[in-house]
Amino acid sequence: MESLSLSRSDLNSILPFLPLSIRAAASSSSSSLSWSERAQDSLRALSLGPTVSHVDSGEVLFDFILDLRDSLGFYSHPPLSSRALDGFSLFFDQFMSRMDARVWFNEVVPALANLLLKLPSLLDCHYLKSDQLSAHSFSGLRIMNSQHPGIVFLTQELIASLLACALFCLFPSKDRNAKHLPIINFDQLFETLLSDSKHCQEHKVKCLVHYFERICKNTPTGLVSFERKVLPFKQSSYSHGVSISYPTADLWSNSASFLCPFMVVDSGYIEDQEYEALEVDFANEYLGGGALSRGCVQEEIRFMINPELIIGMLFMPCMRDNEAIEIIGVERFSEYTGYGSSFRFVGDHVDTKPFDKMGRRKTRIVAIDALYSPRMAQYEIRFLLREANKALCGFLEHSNYHWSYQSSQEHFETHCSSENSYLDSYNSEYGNEKKEDMEIDEDKLGISTGNWGCGAFGGDPEIKSMIQWLAAAQANRAFIHYYTFEEPSLEQLKQVTEWILDHKWTVGDLWQMLADYASQRLKREVKGGFCSWLLPHLNNANSSNAHDMHQ
């Protein structure tokens, strides 16, 4: 196999956070990745099963993990969670049936060891492949730093190998905080089992164990892309004269874009929607939120049933106000019921989503983080603007979006370029795939979302529904499907959105009404929600129109 260049900026950025080292090739300018000799010997023994490795229980497995970490030289790194050993023992030795445990230690753990042994070659192939496909050098797995838009493509097999590292707690944790990276090893998750009176943490682990059982029986062969999307605070020019920047409140107020169709969905889940849509992850600023600790709400549940999402936590630093993360191609492995403390794994899920021409499942997820506990501040224009621009950043297909400013900057509108122009722009800005391998059908994609930034985050559901509608329309999305999750304050949402659509409001019209309401709310001139406040205005508008017709 061809050797890797020692000067690769992508590899050098991620290498301190991987459990591998560089082994110099015969040429001093090239190399390959490898496990330490001691770690490799340990993994080979583990791959031969418990008769050789003696790993036949959760307690022994954790002792093996500690020895493996020592073999990787993690002496100066922060230790694993103090009671992770008890968590491993509790799950694999008590929660798991004897029959399931026998399969886990005799078949799954050896298969995971083989997958870990393949990690160096999988990464070598990944970097060489990324160079062959890319218009830019060094666009492989890397730390995708804040304010730097870009995309990386990983095979499902590589993701599986990296997730095995997380299960075995093999990722170096030193300096992750300094890089604003979320936790990635599973030790904290297993520790939560010791104070899990509602058993939701146990069922999170069951989802992940089920994932490992599945991929060890049948290695998935698809592709997953991870993209950091940035809406620059200052106007900047990219290829083909595309100009993108963070819109002001005046630009929102004067937008001439018409609002897109809005469907209220009173039951079901975002991940079960049947349409071509971008599915919103109600994210923490740190991707994954509490997925690998105590969290068990919308984002964390999504990461359990689609575990390949977790690997984004390895290399995606926290999001800033003008950033979003889009992930395409992850496979769903688990069925579940409940939410929060009632969350339960209920069995296998066979993902039937079709693949695009690049080999990615047509599951598109966008992570956008809302304001946390904003209280009355959420009605200030600066925070309405923050939320609208955050959603816009996530909903935009950035390389397919042209901003058009009048000389007076009175309004902005979207213009979708042709497919060829899109491909040229994409390759110039991101440069990750050959044109003939791309499949573009953005015009049909809508948004599937719900009460983003509400619940534990404390946002106003009526305001958040309108903000996401504004952003979807301004991003030129085909529709928005809004899952209310039976939120009582949204009982009038269907009536309001239907009236607005019937009267062909623009983004600017809705923004102005939202700003007026927010201003009155801040002044304590109104206490009710936006929909109940807006309905009298709509009725007055109807009366005025009828009066004008009679005259």
Side-chain angles (χ1 to χ4, degrees):
M1 180 185 295
E2 185 181 345
S3 297
L4 297 176
S5 169
L6 289 171
S7 63
R8 296 191 66 100
S9 57
D10 48 7
L11 174 58
N12 287 329
S13 76
I14 192 71
L15 191 58
F17 304 98
L18 295 176
L20 306 178
S21 57
I22 290 180
R23 181 180 63 224
S27 168
S28 60
S29 62
S30 61
S31 62
S32 62
L33 295 166
S34 68
W35 291 101
S36 71
E37 185 175 346
R38 183 179 155 197
Q40 187 164 278
D41 289 343
S42 296
L43 288 171
R44 283 175 177 161
L46 188 65
S47 72
L48 297 174
T51 55
V52 175
S53 68
H54 307 295
V55 175
D56 57 2
S57 70
E59 182 177 355
V60 177
L61 174 61
F62 193 79
D63 285 340
F64 175 88
I65 288 170
L66 292 179
D67 288 342
L68 194 56
R69 286 172 58 85
D70 285 346
S71 74
L72 295 170
F74 287 177
Y75 308 109
S76 63
H77 291 253
L80 297 179
S81 299
S82 60
R83 300 198 66 190
L85 164 60
D86 297 329
F88 271 76
S89 178
L90 183 63
F91 186 85
F92 292 110
D93 303 339
Q94 296 185 42
F95 292 166
M96 191 176 266
S97 70
R98 287 187 178 182
M99 181 177 295
D100 289 343
R102 190 177 301 115
V103 172
W104 176 260
F105 290 107
N106 286 350
E107 299 177 18
V108 179
V109 169
L112 291 176
N114 277 317
L115 192 57
L116 286 169
L117 287 167
K118 288 182 67 176
L119 178 60
S121 62
L122 289 171
L123 278 169
D124 284 345
C125 288
H126 161 75
Y127 284 111
L128 295 173
K129 181 74 169 177
S130 69
D131 281 354
Q132 293 169 11
L133 295 175
S134 176
H136 294 288
S137 298
F138 309 149
S139 56
L141 178 62
R142 61 197 181 279
I143 299 298
M144 302 191 74
N145 289 314
S146 179
Q147 305 304 313
H148 293 276
I151 193 167
V152 65
F153 293 83
L154 305 176
T155 66
Q156 286 185 276
E157 185 178 19
L158 174 55
I159 291 172
S161 185
L162 291 168
L163 284 175
C165 285
L167 171 66
F168 283 54
C169 306
L170 299 181
F171 287 116
S173 52
K174 186 178 180 181
D175 297 329
R176 286 189 67 84
N177 287 340
K179 282 285 189 178
H180 306 289
L181 290 163
I183 63 171
I184 185 62
N185 290 322
F186 286 8
D187 55 310
Q188 288 189 32
L189 177 59
F190 276 90
E191 186 178 56
T192 65
L193 296 175
L194 302 173
S195 56
D196 183 29
S197 61
K198 301 295 185 180
H199 301 287
C200 58
Q201 299 300 116
E202 174 189 345
H203 284 268
K204 284 170 61 179
V205 176
K206 283 184 176 181
C207 287
L208 297 176
V209 165
H210 176 67
Y211 162 78
F212 288 118
E213 290 171 344
R214 278 271 308 271
I215 60 101
C216 287
K217 288 180 181 177
N218 187 18
T219 305
T221 58
L223 200 65
V224 180
S225 63
F226 298 80
E227 179 182 1
R228 179 174 287 272
K229 305 168 81 168
V230 181
L231 198 60
F233 286 118
K234 294 182 179 180
Q235 187 169 337
S236 58
S237 294
Y238 295 100
S239 60
H240 302 281
V242 179
S243 184
I244 307 173
S245 65
Y246 197 83
T248 63
D250 284 343
L251 291 172
W252 280 104
S253 181
N254 291 290
S255 171
S257 298
F258 286 106
L259 292 164
C260 61
F262 191 110
M263 179 185 291
V264 177
V265 186
D266 294 322
S267 62
Y269 300 101
I270 291 170
E271 61 269 17
D272 293 328
Q273 60 87 28
E274 299 176 352
Y275 300 88
E276 288 284 324
L278 195 59
E279 302 168 13
V280 178
D281 165 18
F282 308 162
N284 187 284
E285 64 179 318
Y286 285 87
L287 184 68
L292 298 182
S293 54
R294 295 189 176 277
C296 199
V297 288
Q298 195 256 9
E299 179 173 38
E300 290 86 358
I301 290 172
R302 195 68 199 264
F303 275 56
M304 295 302 105
I305 65 173
N306 295 80
E308 290 159 337
L309 291 167
I310 293 171
I311 215 58
M313 300 167 69
L314 172 64
F315 55 87
M316 284 285 190
C318 68
M319 291 178 278
R320 302 305 180 193
D321 286 349
N322 63 330
E323 295 182 314
I325 296 170
E326 184 173 327
I327 303 169
I328 303 175
V330 291
E331 183 175 353
R332 179 175 172 182
F333 290 84
S334 296
E335 293 284 359
Y336 76 98
T337 61
Y339 188 85
S341 62
S342 67
F343 173 76
R344 297 292 183 269
F345 165 76
V346 295
D348 185 45
H349 176 89
V350 178
D351 198 327
T352 58
K353 287 281 185 74
F355 291 85
D356 65 18
K357 290 180 181 178
M358 295 169 61
R360 300 177 300 180
R361 271 185 173 78
K362 291 187 176 180
T363 297
R364 292 171 170 256
I365 297 171
V366 62
I368 49 175
D369 59 300
L371 294 168
Y372 182 72
S373 191
R375 301 184 180 181
M376 290 302 292
Q378 67 185 302
Y379 302 108
E380 296 178 21
I381 285 294
R382 60 179 175 142
F383 291 122
L384 289 177
L385 183 63
R386 188 271 183 196
E387 299 293 77
N389 286 343
K390 169 65 74 167
L392 179 65
C393 180
F395 297 171
L396 274 175
E397 185 63 33
H398 285 232
S399 49
N400 193 26
Y401 193 87
H402 289 230
W403 296 82
S404 178
Y405 295 88
Q406 291 187 349
S407 58
S408 59
Q409 291 201 354
E410 288 179 350
H411 73 273
F412 65 113
E413 57 187 15
T414 61
H415 300 281
C416 285
S417 60
S418 67
E419 180 173 310
N420 288 336
S421 178
Y422 169 80
L423 292 171
D424 289 343
S425 177
Y426 192 98
N427 280 315
S428 178
E429 185 173 346
Y430 297 111
N432 284 84
E433 294 295 329
K434 296 178 181 178
K435 293 182 183 180
E436 59 266 26
D437 292 332
M438 299 295 289
E439 182 178 88
I440 308 303
D441 198 10
E442 292 297 330
D443 292 344
K444 295 181 181 179
L445 287 177
I447 302 295
S448 181
T449 189
N451 304 325
W452 168 61
C454 305
F457 271 54
D460 181 331
E462 295 173 80
I463 295 297
K464 286 297 197 294
S465 65
M466 295 297 109
I467 284 175
Q468 292 183 88
W469 194 9
L470 290 167
Q474 194 60 51
N476 204 31
R477 292 302 183 180
F479 58 83
I480 183 167
H481 288 173
Y482 194 95
Y483 289 76
T484 64
F485 304 110
E486 300 180 344
E487 167 59 43
S489 66
L490 297 177
E491 290 180 356
Q492 296 172 310
L493 183 61
K494 187 173 187 291
Q495 180 184 357
V496 167
T497 54
E498 286 180 351
W499 191 97
I500 289 173
L501 287 169
D502 286 344
H503 290 77
K504 296 180 170 54
W505 278 22
T506 64
V507 167
D509 293 332
L510 181 55
W511 175 270
Q512 290 171 30
M513 294 301 287
L514 199 62
D516 288 347
Y517 167 79
S519 175
Q520 292 181 36
R521 188 71 184 264
L522 283 171
K523 296 173 183 176
R524 314 285 181 178
E525 296 174 357
V526 60
K527 292 184 178 179
F530 177 73
C531 291
S532 60
W533 172 85
L534 186 62
L535 282 172
H537 292 268
L538 303 185
N539 292 331
N540 290 338
N542 276 333
S543 299
S544 298
N545 289 340
H547 177 71
D548 292 341
M549 288 175 65
H550 285 301
Q551 286 188 331

